[in-house]
Amino acid sequence: MLQKPRGTRDFLPDEMDQRREVEGIMRRIARTWGYREVCTPEFEELELFTIRSGEGIIQEMYVFEDKGGRKLALRPEITAPVLRMYVNEGKTLPKPLRWFYFADCFRYERPQKGRYRQFWQFGIELIGADSALAEAEVILLARDLLAASGISFSIHVGHLSLMRSLLAGLDPDDQKKIRMFLDKKDTGGLAAYLLSQGRDDLSARLTALAECRSLDDIFALTGDLPDRHRIEELFSILDSSGLEYTLNPGIARGLDYYTGMVFEIFAENLGAENQVLGGGTYRLAHLFGGEETPSCGFAVGFDRVMVARGEQPPVPGIVVGVAFTPGGRDWALTVAAAFREAGIRTELSLSGKSIGNQLSQIARSADFALIIGDRERDQRQVTVKNLRTGGQDVLALAEAIQEVSGSEPR
Ligand code: HAM
């Protein structure tokens, strides 16, 4: 028997109903904040992803050559594609641009619970706004999105300037390695690396910084910073918005394009892979041939949100099954069409067996059965059987539709 590729999943209808429901909630919230949906290709030129992160990232991607010899990659994330699109198509649009996307990404990772090779992100990018208020908007929208999707979570907000001030003077590659250790919370690895570089003095200061929970403590460690005022303003907006969050200068983020505020959100009831959202302030447009454009955004790990929601009752909706005699067939088709027109999910019996047999099959999944025999055909009526109560009425078509659509979904 053939199987799906490692790290991918199939979704049956019940699960897809749940996913579409949550996706709908997220779209609705994003729209109420003024964000509009965009879509980019599933694959891109490989260079789009290596230009900032270097060739190392190739190991974590699905990379291939097409028949024309072009080096392409399945997108591992959607921020770089969206910024490429902005440079190609959106430069002249009035800024700031508020865009969102919901799409799948591909990463060549070791699969485990909550970590897949194909996964979905719901993300937003706020392009062309450079202020504490813009950063606060992105964080508050993230909070609203996740709250509406029905999970419990905690928000951690940090700023890369804080860590960078301690790393000033180190070469960029060293800084990058150190951020990788911090991102993976690998304190042992970090200490060993710093020791090997003769910079074990940094170990204690970095650990102390990561543990700071107030701006005063942080600035005592880092000394005064050029963007101190901006950082203070951001946290003051978050405080006056009543956001519950943890100030966490230890957040390093795995991706290379962040420049300032960074934030991560963790779901409370997931195991090791509990980060359901990551984002921050970044600059990418200038790397793709555009002007320096301050931007800010985040992506929700949609699959992890679905796991964090746990088992949910089925998405409600009324189901109607239509049983009919051979002579009633054409009227049954007309009746089914009218029910569908009214937005009711209507399934025609396809078995051609007796009415009794059709009814027992319909009763397995439907809330109502419509029974159409020769009498109903002649009178242009419908027998509506409520499968929950067993009650039954012969009604005109319009009344039948009203009866069913007025009932409470199970
Ligand atoms: P990221 O942190 O790499 O950020 O991914 C965002 C979220 O996607 C993660 O927090 C996680 O929930 C989910 N995720 C990542 N890898 C996997 C996986 N293998 N399986 C399941 N879920 C996964 C970004 O991608 C940035 N583009 C976010 C951003 C947008 N920054 C600015 N704008």
Side-chain angles (χ1 to χ4, degrees):
M1 199 170 27
L2 283 175
Q3 299 292 344
K4 59 188 180 300
R6 190 166 141 77
T8 65
R9 287 150 301 149
D10 296 318
F11 303 103
L12 287 164
D14 283 348
E15 197 171 354
M16 280 314 292
D17 281 351
Q18 301 284 349
R19 291 174 68 92
R20 290 290 185 225
E21 173 101 344
V22 177
E23 182 191 322
I25 293 171
M26 291 185 178
R27 282 174 200 279
R28 184 169 54 72
I29 301 283
R31 281 199 197 102
T32 63
W33 281 76
Y35 288 72
R36 299 181 62 209
E37 185 160 7
V38 293
C39 182
T40 63
E42 200 97 354
F43 54 87
E44 294 273 357
E45 300 280 345
L46 173 62
E47 197 191 349
L48 179 69
F49 303 108
T50 52
I51 201 168
R52 185 78 192 85
S53 307
E55 303 283 310
I57 196 172
I58 290 177
Q59 288 172 348
E60 293 156 31
M61 285 198 288
Y62 281 86
V63 173
F64 59 99
E65 213 165 275
D66 74 2
K67 293 193 175 70
R70 298 173 194 89
K71 285 211 151 140
L72 301 171
L74 297 183
R75 57 184 172 208
E77 59 106 41
I78 310 182
T79 304
V82 165
L83 268 287
R84 181 211 34 79
M85 170 163 93
Y86 160 73
V87 171
N88 295 159
E89 327 267 354
K91 269 191 308 203
T92 54
L93 298 172
K95 281 188 275 285
L97 291 172
R98 290 185 168 91
W99 284 350
F100 79 82
Y101 48 82
F102 176 70
D104 52 352
C105 304
F106 304 84
R107 294 187 191 177
Y108 197 77
E109 304 198 86
R110 203 159 52 81
Q112 50 185 289
K113 191 172 181 225
R115 183 175 287 279
Y116 312 102
R117 288 183 171 178
Q118 182 198 22
F119 62 97
W120 275 259
Q121 286 189 342
F122 190 100
I124 68 107
E125 309 298 344
L126 172 55
I127 300 170
D130 191 5
S131 64
L133 191 57
E135 293 171 333
E137 166 168 320
V138 167
I139 300 170
L140 294 168
L141 167 52
R143 186 259 325 258
D144 278 10
L145 268 184
L146 290 179
S149 65
I151 63 167
S152 304
F153 54 88
S154 55
I155 303 175
H156 287 241
V157 186
H159 201 287
L160 291 182
S161 286
L162 311 174
M163 198 179 294
R164 285 200 178 128
S165 73
L166 297 193
L167 302 182
L170 267 66
D171 76 62
D173 275 352
D174 276 342
Q175 293 200 19
K176 187 170 164 180
K177 285 211 181 79
I178 292 169
R179 276 195 292 117
M180 287 300 168
F181 285 118
L182 289 166
D183 185 51
K184 299 210 154 66
K185 298 188 180 49
D186 180 359
T187 32
L190 175 66
Y193 180 73
L194 289 171
L195 191 64
S196 74
Q197 301 299 303
R199 290 305 307 263
D200 41 324
D201 58 303
L202 271 180
S203 206
R205 294 186 71 204
L206 282 169
T207 316
L209 178 69
E211 281 163 8
C212 280
R213 290 293 174 266
S214 85
L215 282 181
D216 288 344
D217 291 352
I218 291 170
F219 292 130
L221 255 173
T222 60
D224 217 6
L225 298 176
D227 44 4
R228 175 173 179 158
H229 176 68
R230 164 90 172 251
I231 297 173
E232 284 172 339
E233 190 187 354
L234 166 66
F235 287 102
S236 117
I237 299 171
L238 296 182
D239 290 337
S240 47
S241 310
L243 181 79
E244 281 183 40
Y245 69 95
T246 304
L247 169 61
N248 184 348
I251 296 177
R253 303 288 296 134
L255 298 158
D256 289 314
Y257 44 63
Y258 296 103
T259 52
M261 183 278 288
V262 280
F263 75 120
E264 294 180 342
I265 302 189
F266 302 92
E268 269 155 26
N269 58 339
L270 293 181
E273 300 303 330
N274 63 346
Q275 192 193 305
V276 289
L277 178 149
T281 302
Y282 62 90
R283 278 163 204 245
L284 272 175
H286 62 291
L287 297 176
F288 306 150
E291 281 169 22
E292 274 265 338
T293 312
S295 311
C296 192
F298 64 76
V300 174
F302 187 80
D303 308 272
R304 294 186 186 170
V305 169
M306 295 311 294
V307 178
R309 274 165 54 93
E311 280 285 313
Q312 296 285 327
V315 176
I318 291 166
V319 182
V320 165
V322 186
F324 55 93
T325 59
R329 186 198 66 193
D330 291 350
W331 177 231
L333 285 168
T334 307
V335 167
F339 268 72
R340 291 184 191 121
E341 185 75 16
I344 300 166
R345 187 175 138 194
T346 308
E347 299 172 6
L348 212 60
S349 172
L350 299 177
S351 72
K353 292 188 175 155
S354 70
I355 290 280
N357 195 298
Q358 292 179 47
L359 280 178
S360 57
Q361 208 176 33
I362 288 170
R364 276 193 229 144
S365 56
D367 306 288
F368 289 90
L370 309 181
I371 306 163
I372 293 170
D374 297 2
R375 190 171 49 107
E376 282 84 355
R377 177 201 57 202
D378 294 342
Q379 309 285 325
R380 306 308 258 179
Q381 288 180 320
V382 184
T383 297
V384 179
K385 185 177 168 83
N386 184 327
L387 295 167
R388 292 178 241 152
T389 62
Q392 182 164 319
D393 275 317
V394 184
L395 301 170
L397 178 53
E399 290 166 359
I401 290 174
Q402 215 161 31
E403 161 102 6
V404 168
S405 49
S407 72
E408 284 292 311
R410 226 194 311 219

